[in-house]
Amino acid sequence: MRLRSAVAAGLASSKVVEQGRPPLLVELGKVEQALIVSRPSKIIKSPYVSDVLLVRDIDPSRQGEFQARITELCSNLLPQELNKAATKRAVAEQQTLIQEYIESLSSKRRHLAHAPSLDCAGIVVSGATVWLSPSLSETAKTAFTIQLCEELRENNGGRTIVGYHPSLAEKAFRALIETDENFVREELGVERSSIECVSSQQTFGKSRVDFVLETKDQVFLVEVKNVVGADYMEGQLPAARSLVGIYTVKEGVRSAIFPHGSNTKADLGVVSDRAIKHITELTHLQGTMSGKKKLQSVIVFMVNRSDCEAFRPCHEADMVFAQCLQRAQKSGVLVLAKELKWNVEGGHCTAGKSLPVVFHSTVDSSALDEELLGRVLAYNAEHGNGRRSPNNSSKRGSKRQRK
């Protein structure tokens, strides 16, 4: 798909923006509020399907109490002195209480919701509030798809809206370059009117990049990463928060983090061999020529939440990724982070602030183990291309690339 700006207004007129109002990047339409009863579903035993209770189905006599009660159940903070096993037990006990309470709220049947991002770094568990859109396929086994979710935070039951669906980041970035002249000028260093065409999912070198932006003398190779997680202050983790995707800091501002997960890739100590491959390829392509045009590599972390003051690669989960990202930045690759602000009432998001990209003091690209990096890339070459992204259990045919 290409946008040719022989019609210069093509990029500018794709969305009409009222004076002084930020453009809407993604419009989901009306979204339905629901509570997660269980994931995986007890009906369809798939981790990509959740049982949900629609808030409108809660007994009218309980409508006034449930949110306060769930907030109360979720607001307890875990004592710092608990060991790992005791912490897991405390979280499991708290989530059981929440699930039992949700089951008591309504006698109406539960609905099935497609959960393409699984637990979303531990956010989507029993008791979590989510927002759903109706499934569009008549053959789908799920009535809804999860689009947004709420994460429990430190401040006494406080919650943050997070863009859940993995497609939202790329949709938002595309709209961002179509509507935000300041972003294009300040972050990419070109005028939006100079962009001649935009294409998606193009192959350069050994990688497919999410977007290619072409000007008269430059080609921007853009990789978009979807960021859902953020770190916690040490000792401030709510008891009902799943321990998945949890990384704590002793001081500083709240930072969005990527990637998250367990180091399970063939004892390589990395979370995402795919992301490491992308960064390595973009670093190699940086500054080279494509015909008469110079290549500029860009990595954009779309932070699908609006409660962070910075972005950092999560070295705790994947030091190799953090080192590769730092090396890329030092090599001239543009490394950007952009906040998204979600409005659940309107079912849409707008662009927030650009976030500084920071690295922990332990991240040192000059100390990158080249032999280990070679093994990671070899692992990806052997296993990466054959990896199939899971679809909705309805087999409706839509595919998702793991970011």
Side-chain angles (χ1 to χ4, degrees):
M1 180 168 56
R2 298 171 73 85
L3 295 173
R4 298 194 177 278
S5 64
V7 190
L11 284 174
S13 66
S14 58
K15 296 197 178 187
V16 178
V17 181
E18 293 184 28
Q19 188 72 23
R21 298 186 65 181
L24 304 183
L25 300 183
V26 180
E27 298 180 70
L28 298 173
K30 184 178 179 181
V31 286
E32 180 97 38
Q33 187 178 10
L35 302 175
I36 296 291
V37 180
S38 60
R39 191 205 66 84
S41 165
K42 294 180 179 179
I43 301 169
I44 296 179
K45 309 294 185 180
S46 166
Y48 292 93
V49 179
S50 293
D51 298 326
V52 298
L53 171 63
L54 303 182
V55 168
R56 60 179 162 89
D57 284 345
I58 294 176
D59 293 339
S61 62
R62 311 287 295 279
Q63 284 282 352
E65 73 169 65
F66 82 92
Q67 196 63 265
R69 177 57 179 153
I70 289 178
T71 298
E72 178 186 348
L73 288 169
C74 293
S75 63
N76 297 329
L77 297 178
L78 288 172
Q80 281 185 271
E81 63 272 11
L82 291 181
N83 59 34
K84 189 173 182 179
T87 299
K88 284 187 175 181
R89 285 197 299 272
V91 170
E93 290 169 1
Q94 198 75 357
Q95 290 178 352
T96 298
L97 288 174
I98 292 170
Q99 186 170 349
E100 290 174 350
Y101 177 71
I102 292 173
E103 292 282 10
S104 74
L105 288 173
S106 175
S107 59
K108 293 186 178 181
R109 71 181 182 90
R110 307 311 186 234
H111 294 271
L112 298 177
H114 179 37
S117 289
L118 300 174
D119 65 354
C120 192
I123 299 172
V124 175
V125 296
S126 296
T129 298
V130 294
W131 280 267
L132 317 170
S133 61
S135 294
L136 300 178
S137 171
E138 294 181 358
T139 61
K141 294 182 180 179
T142 56
F144 298 94
T145 297
I146 302 175
Q147 297 288 350
L148 310 172
C149 58
E150 279 187 342
E151 183 182 38
L152 296 174
R153 295 305 306 186
E154 300 96 328
N155 49 340
N156 297 320
R159 295 161 181 261
T160 293
I161 304 297
V162 178
Y164 171 87
H165 200 287
S167 70
L168 297 176
E170 288 187 22
K171 289 179 180 178
F173 177 79
R174 178 131 204 163
L176 189 65
I177 60 174
E178 292 175 0
T179 61
D180 195 326
E181 293 181 2
N182 289 333
F183 175 82
V184 176
R185 181 187 303 117
E186 295 172 7
E187 304 292 356
L188 301 183
V190 297
E191 295 297 325
R192 192 179 53 168
S193 59
S194 71
I195 298 176
E196 297 176 348
C197 65
V198 178
S199 54
S200 58
Q201 296 302 319
Q202 298 295 306
T203 299
F204 274 81
K206 299 178 182 178
S207 289
R208 287 181 69 81
V209 295
D210 293 322
F211 293 97
V212 177
L213 285 60
E214 295 187 41
T215 67
K216 182 179 180 180
D217 53 10
Q218 277 186 294
V219 178
F220 292 87
L221 308 179
V222 184
E223 179 70 18
V224 177
K225 299 297 183 187
N226 185 35
V227 181
V228 296
D231 53 25
Y232 283 80
M233 291 301 295
E234 196 172 273
Q236 295 295 304
L237 182 64
R241 175 61 166 88
S242 166
L243 297 181
V244 175
I246 294 299
Y247 302 92
T248 60
V249 294
K250 293 183 178 180
E251 57 185 7
V253 300
R254 181 181 299 171
S255 296
I257 53 176
F258 180 96
H260 61 267
S262 302
N263 299 328
T264 58
K265 298 293 177 64
D267 297 323
L268 294 171
V270 302
V271 170
S272 180
D273 57 291
R274 179 189 170 94
I276 291 169
K277 173 199 171 186
H278 284 159
I279 294 175
T280 303
E281 283 294 317
L282 288 173
T283 303
H284 289 161
L285 291 169
Q286 168 60 28
T288 61
M289 302 298 291
S290 176
K292 296 183 178 180
K293 296 184 179 183
K294 187 176 182 179
L295 299 183
Q296 174 63 61
S297 297
V298 186
I299 302 170
V300 183
F301 294 93
M302 298 298 284
V303 178
N304 238 318
R305 52 194 298 152
S306 57
D307 63 335
C308 299
E309 298 301 321
F311 166 82
R312 65 177 179 87
C314 189
H315 65 282
E316 305 99 309
D318 196 329
M319 178 59 84
V320 174
F321 174 87
Q323 291 172 316
C324 286
L325 185 66
Q326 188 181 70
R327 172 186 285 183
Q329 188 183 63
K330 290 179 177 180
S331 300
V333 176
L334 294 178
V335 180
L336 312 174
K338 190 66 175 177
E339 171 188 83
L340 298 179
K341 303 175 74 172
W342 282 98
N343 179 306
V344 293
E345 286 76 21
H348 60 250
C349 78
T350 55
K353 57 186 176 291
S354 293
L355 300 175
V357 177
V358 299
F359 294 86
H360 190 266
S361 59
T362 59
V363 179
D364 180 3
S365 58
S366 67
L368 177 60
D369 186 333
E370 298 294 345
E371 189 273 334
L372 173 59
L373 175 60
R375 288 194 288 122
V376 171
L377 297 177
Y379 175 88
N380 178 269
E382 181 179 354
H383 301 280
N385 293 333
R387 191 177 306 158
R388 183 175 62 87
S389 296
N391 296 332
N392 188 349
S393 59
S394 64
K395 298 183 181 180
R396 57 176 112 162
S398 61
K399 292 185 178 181
R400 171 178 72 87
Q401 289 188 336
R402 184 177 181 183
K403 302 303 293 175

